[in-house]
Amino acid sequence: MCSSPRILVTGACGQIGSELTLVLREKYGSENVVATDRRTATSPRLRDTGPFELVDVTRRETIQAVVTRYKIDTIYHLAAILSATGEQNPQLAWDVNINGLYNVLEVARQEEVARLFYPSSIAVFGPETPRDNTPQETILRPRTMYGITKVAGELLCAYYARRLGLDVRGIRFPGIISSETLPGGGTTDYAVEIFYAAVTHRHYTCFLRPDTVLPMMYMPDCIKATLDLMAADPSRLKHRTDFNVTAFSVSPAELAAEIQKHIPDFVCKYEPDYRQAIADSWPHTIDDSAAREEWGWQPEYDLPAMVVDMLEKVRAKLSCELVC
Ligand code: AKB
């Protein structure tokens, strides 16, 4: 790919898509990055900075039409149902995460798309996986439908890479913390909600126990990891679709304490619900040495730096919403 890639982003209105799309447009030119989602974009930044098309990944013809029309050669396939929604509607999770992925892969194969990004998750791990410093190569026996679809997705992507020559690359993301678009239906969503609640009400009721340590990452690092892996020299990649990555691990109580350093009267209470069982099946900390060795992965934000930046961004966003 010598000229600028022609990119399609599925799930562009979601937590990662809404930010990654803008960075890709900045990097490769607005006209070269087609944002797609099954609902119309409400964010003017997403809608007005480049092409936007309606695509429902469970309907293959909608993907096919956009790939053909825009001569797409690179896909970032972000459309997915996350862990908590997946437990409430496992049929939908299977349909979107497996049938949707299969549709994207088949269109990519038929239209000779060169490269595809696939976000996997720490949800591929399960209660039998070592929870501390979880290795790259380990037991993958998730108990959630979301985790099952992510393990199958990794394997399906690896099949298309090995058998059919599609250059698929994927990352097992931890919980992603960000300010632009609220996540929806995940178990790690508390780590975003807590900031909005702290700034607006000085109070948050967390749906996980205070001591539930999970791996996390701030959005700028999520975008950096995605771009770095997609730009990596393929001859250095021993893995393909399943890189462990992490930035820091934190529990709700530790995150609340870090926020209290900036908002001393912030109070966090705990009322664990069905999402606790999901979190209890996931790792505490992750070994991401393969990503570090094979494509130079290195996060920039630790917990304190993320909290400072998040509070600044959330305050700016909320005051703009009040004024604008
Ligand atoms: C979720 O909580 O479901 C996601 C994930 C860790 O993949 N954020």
Side-chain angles (χ1 to χ4, degrees):
M1 267 183 276
C2 302
S3 56
S4 189
R6 306 271 308 158
I7 297 172
L8 178 148
V9 182
T10 71
C13 295
Q15 186 193 15
I16 299 178
S18 59
E19 299 206 36
L20 181 66
T21 303
L22 299 179
V23 175
L24 290 169
R25 284 182 173 161
E26 192 71 28
K27 194 170 158 69
Y28 296 113
S30 292
E31 67 290 355
N32 291 318
V33 182
V34 186
T36 71
D37 207 291
R38 68 186 170 80
R39 57 208 151 111
T40 312
T42 48
S43 145
R45 289 179 73 203
L46 195 63
R47 201 185 46 216
D48 304 338
T49 59
F52 183 90
E53 300 283 347
L54 288 176
V55 165
D56 174 352
V57 294
T58 63
R59 292 176 51 225
R60 193 183 301 179
E61 69 281 8
T62 66
I63 314 165
Q64 177 82 54
V66 175
V67 168
T68 314
R69 177 165 165 218
Y70 289 91
K71 300 185 172 47
I72 296 298
D73 58 34
T74 304
I75 300 177
Y76 291 77
H77 175 43
L78 307 179
I81 299 296
L82 297 186
S83 56
T85 305
E87 284 317 279
Q88 295 188 314
N89 194 341
Q91 296 76 14
L92 179 70
W94 181 268
D95 195 26
V96 173
N97 296 2
I98 293 294
N99 296 333
L101 172 63
Y102 182 64
N103 285 337
V104 169
L105 286 167
E106 272 299 283
V107 171
R109 177 182 70 81
Q110 282 162 11
E111 298 300 318
E112 297 180 1
V113 166
R115 197 167 287 176
L116 187 139
F117 179 78
Y118 174 69
S120 185
S121 162
I122 54 166
V124 295
F125 305 118
E128 291 131 346
T129 310
R131 295 189 75 190
D132 296 309
N133 210 25
T134 301
Q136 176 70 45
E137 254 61 72
T138 188
I139 301 162
L140 302 181
R141 265 184 229 133
R143 297 274 170 93
T144 61
M145 180 55 92
Y146 175 62
I148 291 166
T149 65
K150 286 296 175 186
V151 173
E154 286 184 1
L155 294 173
L156 196 58
C157 288
Y159 180 86
Y160 273 74
R162 198 178 51 249
R163 269 298 303 276
L164 304 167
L166 181 62
D167 184 355
V168 193
R169 304 177 182 199
I171 286 174
R172 289 173 180 157
F173 281 124
I176 306 295
I177 301 172
S178 68
S179 57
E180 175 72 22
T181 304
L182 288 171
T187 302
T188 57
D189 292 7
Y190 90 83
V192 176
E193 292 171 6
I194 195 171
F195 283 94
Y196 284 85
V199 170
T200 49
H201 314 299
R202 305 279 190 271
H203 179 270
Y204 179 63
T205 304
C206 181
F207 55 75
L208 296 181
R209 272 195 326 265
D211 61 349
T212 312
V213 175
L214 289 170
M216 298 278 177
M217 177 181 286
Y218 193 31
M219 183 60 87
D221 278 329
C222 167
I223 288 174
K224 178 165 140 20
T226 304
L227 297 180
D228 286 356
L229 175 59
M230 285 296 267
D233 173 357
S235 68
R236 285 186 62 199
L237 299 181
K238 296 193 197 88
H239 298 84
R240 277 262 151 198
T241 59
D242 58 2
F243 282 102
N244 282 4
V245 294
T246 189
F248 51 85
S249 284
V250 69
S251 69
E254 288 162 342
L255 181 53
E258 195 62 38
I259 292 172
Q260 276 156 353
K261 289 183 187 166
H262 306 272
I263 306 177
D265 58 344
F266 171 56
V267 176
C268 192
K269 289 194 180 144
Y270 302 91
E271 287 177 12
D273 64 16
Y274 70 98
R275 290 168 279 194
Q276 186 64 51
I278 303 176
D280 286 342
S281 73
W282 289 354
H284 296 141
T285 56
I286 299 279
D287 172 9
D288 60 6
S289 49
R292 289 171 189 261
E293 280 157 28
E294 292 174 40
W295 46 278
W297 163 241
Q298 181 72 57
E300 278 172 9
Y301 285 83
D302 59 9
L303 175 65
M306 178 278 292
V307 169
V308 168
D309 203 60
M310 264 299 275
L311 285 173
E312 196 183 302
K313 296 247 163 58
V314 169
R315 281 186 176 121
K317 195 170 173 215
L318 293 174
S319 63
C320 170
E321 276 170 13
L322 279 179
V323 175
C324 306

